[in-house]
Every structure is written in C-alpha cells, then in structure tokens.
Amino acid sequence: MWDLRRDAQRGRAAVAVLLRRNSDLAVRILFRSGPEAWIAFDKDVRRDRSRLGGALPSNRIEARLCDPDGRIRESALSAWRRPPPQLVVIRCADWVPAVRGRARRVLGRIVALDPVDTLITLAPLILRLGRREHGAWAVDQLEAALSGRYSSLAAWWRPGRPSTTWSQNSLTDEQRDFVLDLLRLRADLPARRFAARLTSETGRTGVRELAARARDERDPVTSRIWTDAALAAMAADGPDGAAIDDLLAGHHPLVRAGGVTALRRAGRSAEAVNHLADRSGTVRACARWLVRQGGDDPNAVARALLEDPARVTPYAVTGFAECARPADATLLRALLEHPAGAVRAAAVGGLRLLDATDHELLRPLLDDPSPAVAREVSLSLRSEAGRLPADWLLARTAPGRPLHTRRAAYRLLYAQGGVAWLRAAVELQSDGDPGLRRLAAQHIQGLWPTYGPKSLPARDPEVGALLDRCTGLASDYAIRWMCSQLAIPRAECGMGGY
C-alpha cells in the first residue's frame, strides 16, 4: 500500500518547488506520486495563493487549476487541451457548480481518448474523492463503466447536455476485466476493495476462483467480499468440495468460519472436530455450532481432544474452556503442570472464564518462566489482589527478578493500591526497564482525580515523603493538592501540605 503520509509530503514538496519557479520539477514529482500527493498539492496551492495575496510565481495549468478563484479554475479547464487528468478529477468534486460542470465535460474528453489506461490511473484518486460532498459523481461513473452499464463519459462534444451519463460501446467486456484485474493487484486498498466488489457482482467468476482469492487475500475487507461471493455461489449452485477446502485454509478468521459453515451442506459435518482448536474464537464458535447440528456435544468432543496428549494445544484448551462447565475445572487445573508454557497460560485463562480462580493455586505461577503464564496469572488475580501479601509482591518487583515477573507483580500491586504500590511505583522511576518506568509514571500521574485520591491512607508520613519524590511527574500544585486531600502536614510533605 502507498505510504499516504509520504505521498502527501511529496505533494507539499511539489508546491514548494513550484514557489521556487521550478515548474517542470514540480510536475515530475507529482506524476511519480500517488493520489494523496495530488490532493495535498491542490490544498497547498490554494492555501499558499491565499497567504501570498497574489498570483503564484507560475502560470502553469497545474497551479491555475488549484487557484482559490473559481473563475481562474474554470478558465484553466477551457483554455488547455490536455490538462492533468488527476486535477481534472479533483475539480469534478469542486464546490463551484460551473467548475464542476466544465471539469466533468473535460474528463469525458480525456477518458474517451484512452479509457483503459485513464481509468486505471484515476481509480484510486476517484475513490478517495468520493468522500467529498460532490465526489460521488465520479465514483458512480467509474462503477458504471466497469460494471458494464455504461462505458465512458457522456458526449463531451455537446456542451449543452449535462455530463451525468456515460456513452455506450467504449469499453468491451475484455477491457473491463483487464481494468478490474489490474486494480485488484494494486497496492492501494480502496482500489482493491472496489475491484473485488465489482468483480464479485458480475457473477462471471467461478466459485473455486472466488474461494482461492479469499484464501490468499491478506486484506480483511477484501477477503470478506470474496468469501461472501463464494458462499452465495455455493448457496445457489450447490457445495463445491475444492472451494470449501480453500476457504478452510484461509488466512483470515471470517474466511475459515465461512468454510466451516459450508461443511454442513456438503455433508462433511464430522470435520468440525478439526476446527474446535482453531486459533480464532469465531471459527471455534462455528465449529461448535456444526458439532451440535451433527447431534454431538461440543463439550465432550473438546474434552476428548485434551485427553489425547498429542492433540493438546493452547487453542484446544481455550476452545474447551469456552464450552466447559464448572465441573470441568479439574481438567484445567491439571493442565497447569503441562510442560508447554502456552498450554499453561491457556489453562489459567480457561479457569478465569469459568470463574474458578484459586489464588492459592495460581500464586506460585507468578514466578513461572513463561511470560504468557505470568501475564494470565496477573489478570486472573487482579480481582483478588487485596488477598495477596504486599511484601511478597514487592519482592517480585526487585531488579533481580525476570522482567515478566516484575511487570506482573507490579500490576497486582497497582490493583491492590495503598502505600506498597506507591512505594514500588516511585522506586521504579529509576528502573532500567523503560516499559516499567513508563507504566509506573502513568499510574502516579493518574493519582489526581476530580474527587480526590483513592487507596492511599490519610495522615501517613511515608505517603508524604513518597509524593515529595514525584515532583518530576506532576506540577507543584498537583502535589500540594494531593497532600492537602490526604491531610498530610507541611512538615511531612516537601511541597507544603494543608
């Protein structure tokens, strides 16, 4: 995909070059750039023209087409025989009706000369301008041309007729398919999505080709378009095994979910078991639905997966927890000793889903060598953080501990609140890990709520001393206000209390 920010910078650079009277270089910069460069060029020329209070140091057509004065823009459209088509498209969405009308007639003349190359070049810009108040016209014309309703802009040689229709017999079916094929291969996402939608609506693409495109597509929106078209084709003409296999091998979850739902009409419901351990929760939910449609119990099938050591995976554990019952917590607790850290982490998350968290059982796992396990334990124990010993948590924030253990222990201290958390947060301001320093600083800066501080004891000398060490994270006024809210005397708060 084009780098939109870099594209816009090129457009602004072209304006700067134009102001230095190097018109040819400015034009070369524009024609080597994407649609955002033309939009930025149009905006900056108009802004600089207004700022300078006079004409730009260039009489080129590119500058005149972007002039703030609508009369100059209109005259530029009529005076030059071959204006830049990108700027003509921008003027088709102009806020002045006279400029819009003339630009649309000029665009018709440009498209009629070489419709294939012109539409390929202008499609990304047209789709971006479609968001403007008067930009829908060009999008409608582009869609009409490529869908076969019409083929090129209305008779530009009849200025008296409004150019809101397209003339016939300018694009053949082969040319339309060629344009759509090229747009589907563009790096520009709006163009790819537009081409995919029009191609799927024609009905000329086979179901296997639609499924293969859905499988290989990396853009979620475009892959959804291909998937919906493939499923609609199979709903009308019957299931296709090869197309279903392509959907099941898709990169995006919605593609695989579509393949799972298509298994039922194909008489392949027994294959739902293979997708109960998918990495996507959406696909797992569709697989459970398909298992129920086949008359089986998803809970029993998922349990059977976990009872086979060769089939135990983190996603199999999560899938089992999603359909487990409270009595199934015993199996998840047994998986806390699994040699794979990802499986242990999934078991901790599954116990949290079942609301079967046991803080005495999970506490030792805070020291687990797997970062995923420590992270899941901190999430599970957050609601019971007050039951954990503060000194035990503080000891795990020490610099000698593994980084993931320190982060998990600090998050539990923050959930617990009180002096122990403030003490740890202040100490972490000089820590060697930038992530921990930033997290602790954000928590300290969040101490100044509208209705007063929370979770800190009043009249505590240690709190006053700790707040005095936070002068680099908040203003003097905020620290004085905090001390006054906590009733800390001036002598115990370096910035002055109440």
Side-chain angles (χ1 to χ4, degrees), residues 452-474:
K454 298 179 180 179
S455 72
L456 290 178
R459 299 181 181 275
D460 190 325
E462 184 182 2
V463 173
L466 291 172
L467 290 176
D468 189 28
R469 296 171 58 185
C470 299
T471 53
L473 300 175

Side-chain angles (χ1 to χ4, degrees), residues 123-141:
L125 180 58
I126 289 174
L127 295 173
R128 278 167 173 76
L129 296 174
R131 298 190 291 262
R132 296 189 177 182
E133 181 179 1
H134 302 289
W137 176 86
V139 177
D140 292 340
Q141 305 307 311

Side-chain angles (χ1 to χ4, degrees), residues 47-83:
R47 183 197 62 190
D48 291 347
R49 169 69 169 77
S50 302
R51 178 173 56 84
L52 294 174
L56 289 171
S58 174
N59 199 36
R60 287 191 65 103
I61 178 65
E62 291 83 6
R64 294 177 63 83
L65 281 174
C66 302
D67 196 276
D69 192 333
R71 294 166 295 185
I72 296 178
R73 297 197 302 275
E74 184 181 6
S75 65
L77 287 167
S78 58
W80 272 265
R81 294 184 59 83
R82 292 296 301 271

Side-chain angles (χ1 to χ4, degrees), residues 306 312 317 330-338 340 343-344 347:
L306 296 186
V312 175
V317 176
T330 304
L331 178 56
L332 292 175
R333 292 191 184 100
L335 291 172
L336 295 177
E337 300 178 359
H338 195 275
V343 173
R344 296 196 302 273

Side-chain angles (χ1 to χ4, degrees), residues 176-464:
R176 281 191 287 270
D177 292 341
F178 177 73
V179 173
L180 290 175
D181 288 341
L182 285 184
L183 290 180
R184 284 201 309 271
L185 299 176
R186 297 291 290 266
D188 186 59
L189 282 182
R192 283 166 55 192
R193 294 168 181 175
F194 177 79
R197 180 174 61 82
L198 289 188
T199 303
S200 63
E201 289 175 355
T202 60
R204 297 196 299 268
T205 307
V207 63
R208 294 189 178 184
E209 185 177 356
L210 292 171
R213 291 176 180 175
R215 176 198 62 201
D216 299 333
E217 181 60 54
R218 289 299 182 263
D219 175 45
V221 177
T222 309
S223 66
R224 178 66 182 269
I225 294 173
W226 295 126
T227 302
D228 290 344
L231 293 177
M234 286 191 284
D237 303 330
D240 185 285
I244 294 175
D245 291 337
D246 283 339
L247 293 178
L248 293 174
H251 176 75
H252 291 286
L254 289 179
V255 178
R256 300 196 301 277
V260 171
T261 56
L263 287 174
R264 187 187 180 198
R265 291 195 63 191
R268 298 165 56 181
S269 299
E271 297 181 22
V273 179
N274 301 329
H275 305 281
L276 287 174
D278 192 90
R279 60 183 181 273
S280 167
T282 302
V283 179
R284 293 195 298 268
C286 291
R288 289 194 295 272
W289 168 82
L290 188 57
V291 169
R292 292 190 190 97
Q293 297 299 313
D296 294 326
D297 181 13
N299 179 272
V301 177
R303 173 182 282 273
L305 290 178
L306 296 186
E307 291 174 349
D308 182 2
R311 306 183 71 179
V312 175
T313 64
Y315 297 114
V317 176
T318 303
F320 173 70
E322 289 170 345
C323 60
R325 305 180 180 94
D328 298 321
T330 304
L331 178 56
L332 292 175
R333 292 191 184 100
L335 291 172
L336 295 177
E337 300 178 359
H338 195 275
V343 173
R344 296 196 302 273
V348 175
L351 289 172
R352 187 170 65 251
L353 284 177
L354 290 179
D355 197 18
T357 300
D358 183 352
H359 76 282
E360 292 296 339
L361 179 65
L362 297 183
R363 228 178 91 176
L365 293 177
L366 198 65
D367 297 320
D368 194 277
S370 170
V373 176
R375 184 169 53 250
E376 289 292 338
V377 169
S378 68
L379 290 173
S380 298
L381 295 180
R382 187 171 297 177
S383 59
E384 300 183 3
R387 303 175 62 181
L388 299 174
D391 293 339
W392 183 81
L393 292 174
L394 275 172
R396 275 148 185 79
T397 62
R401 297 278 183 170
L403 181 57
H404 62 272
T405 301
R406 300 178 65 209
R407 291 183 177 180
Y410 173 74
R411 289 191 181 97
L412 290 174
L413 275 173
Y414 177 68
Q416 190 179 81
V419 182
W421 160 72
L422 184 59
R423 189 185 308 133
V426 172
E427 292 295 334
L428 287 175
Q429 293 312 299
S430 58
D431 194 80
D433 177 54
L436 265 177
R437 286 201 312 269
R438 183 170 57 252
L439 181 63
Q442 290 172 351
H443 289 163
I444 292 175
Q445 290 167 346
L447 273 175
W448 335 119
T450 305
Y451 299 105
K454 298 179 180 179
S455 72
L456 290 178
R459 299 181 181 275
D460 190 325
E462 184 182 2
V463 173

